[in-house]
Amino acid sequence: NAGVMQNPRHLVRRRGQEARLRCSPMKGHSHVYWYRQLPEEGLKFMVYLQKENIIDESGMPKERFSAEFPKEGPSILRIQQVVRGDSAAYFCASSLPSDRGRETQYFGPGTRLLVL
Amino acid sequence: GENVEQHPSTLSVQEGDSAVIKCTYSDSASNYFPWYKQELGKRPQLIIDIRSNVGEKKDQRIAVTLNKTAKHFSLHITETQPEDSAVYFCAAWGALTGANNLFFGTGTRLTVIP
């Protein structure tokens, strides 16, 4: 029973390039959450998605960032025209479906993005 | 939205002693409070969680207490071991209209000295 999978584990991009981060939830989970963690800091919520639906994107920067969770395939967090400040660890988590989302969230191993 | 504060930011204890980490939250309607342990370079791992219909939950050496009136919850680790050394995060699920996510504290770096 595989846990939450993320790839790539490490990603290096030059300023101005695009970064695509992928997250496959645990089997049976249909809710996905993305978080950003800067070094020595806590986890900051970015976006909460169900299949084909964004539930809450209140933590997403208004520009350059987008997320999707298609009917088939992994959830994708996309960062366009990356800047050095985007360097961070990006974690996704998944949970069982719930009417209010208060289910236990299980985290993936993270993608460490480095922008040169 | 929800605001979660966590104290202390660092904590050192002797092996075998107890460790206590405290968090406060602002949204009185929050009803789910998980604790995560994160080792260096690793993913956050859930160690215990509590929902607002109970005041205490225990799992072996780990316990969490919740005081809804005071809006604070605490993590207690007894008989600490060196492998307990990690960063611990508390979180609260925002229940206000429009809040659909976990708000995390800033973390406590626990060091257990052998």
Side-chain angles (χ1 to χ4, degrees):
Chain A
N1 186 13
V4 180
M5 309 283 282
Q6 286 186 253
N7 69 81
R9 296 290 304 277
H10 300 273
L11 183 60
V12 180
R13 285 288 178 266
R14 296 193 180 279
R15 281 178 297 169
Q17 291 184 320
E18 179 180 286
R20 282 192 178 223
L21 287 61
R22 296 174 190 78
C23 171
S24 296
M26 283 178 69
K27 187 175 181 180
H29 287 190
S30 59
H31 291 202
V32 166
Y33 314 78
W34 285 93
Y35 296 86
R36 177 163 62 180
Q37 186 176 39
L38 294 171
E40 303 296 318
E41 292 192 12
L43 294 146
K44 300 292 187 196
F45 167 78
M46 299 181 74
V47 62
Y48 166 24
L49 310 105
Q50 292 177 343
K51 290 274 187 183
E52 301 183 284
N53 190 24
I54 296 175
I55 304 301
D56 184 344
E57 56 182 348
S58 58
M60 287 275 273
K62 293 288 186 281
E63 298 177 349
R64 301 189 298 108
F65 285 72
S66 62
E68 62 176 3
F69 190 13
K71 187 177 180 181
E72 301 291 337
S75 175
I76 295 175
L77 179 67
R78 183 183 179 203
I79 312 172
Q80 295 178 290
Q81 300 174 346
V82 295
V83 301
R84 287 204 174 124
D86 295 333
S87 296
Y90 292 83
F91 288 94
C92 87
S94 72
S95 74
L96 290 168
S98 163
D99 60 343
R100 294 287 299 276
R102 290 166 296 195
E103 293 293 331
T104 301
Q105 294 184 23
Y106 297 92
F107 281 81
T111 293
R112 279 141 187 91
L113 173 65
L114 175 63
V115 180
L116 301 177
Chain B
E2 176 70 277
N3 181 40
V4 178
E5 295 190 357
Q6 182 171 350
H7 300 282
S9 57
T10 60
L11 179 61
S12 292
V13 299
Q14 291 291 137
E15 182 177 357
D17 287 350
S18 296
V20 180
I21 303 170
K22 298 181 179 180
C23 288
T24 61
Y25 60 99
S26 59
D27 178 6
S28 57
S30 289
N31 53 17
Y32 174 60
F33 308 91
W35 285 88
Y36 287 86
K37 173 185 180 182
Q38 187 177 31
E39 297 177 27
L40 188 62
K42 301 284 183 67
R43 76 184 76 192
Q45 289 196 304
L46 180 77
I47 55 172
I48 196 166
D49 57 10
I50 190 168
R51 297 177 195 276
S52 58
N53 56 343
V54 297
E56 184 174 357
K57 184 176 178 181
K58 191 172 182 180
D59 182 4
Q60 299 183 335
R61 298 187 296 110
I62 296 173
V64 57
T65 58
L66 171 65
N67 184 325
K68 289 170 56 181
T69 303
K71 291 189 285 187
H72 69 69
F73 56 113
S74 300
L75 178 73
H76 305 252
I77 306 175
T78 58
E79 300 172 24
T80 53
Q81 301 167 2
E83 50 265 37
D84 294 330
S85 296
V87 179
Y88 291 80
F89 293 98
C90 64
W93 181 268
L96 291 174
T97 300
N100 288 285
N101 56 83
L102 278 175
F103 293 83
F104 280 83
T106 49
T108 296
R109 183 177 299 280
L110 173 65
T111 302
V112 179
I113 304 165

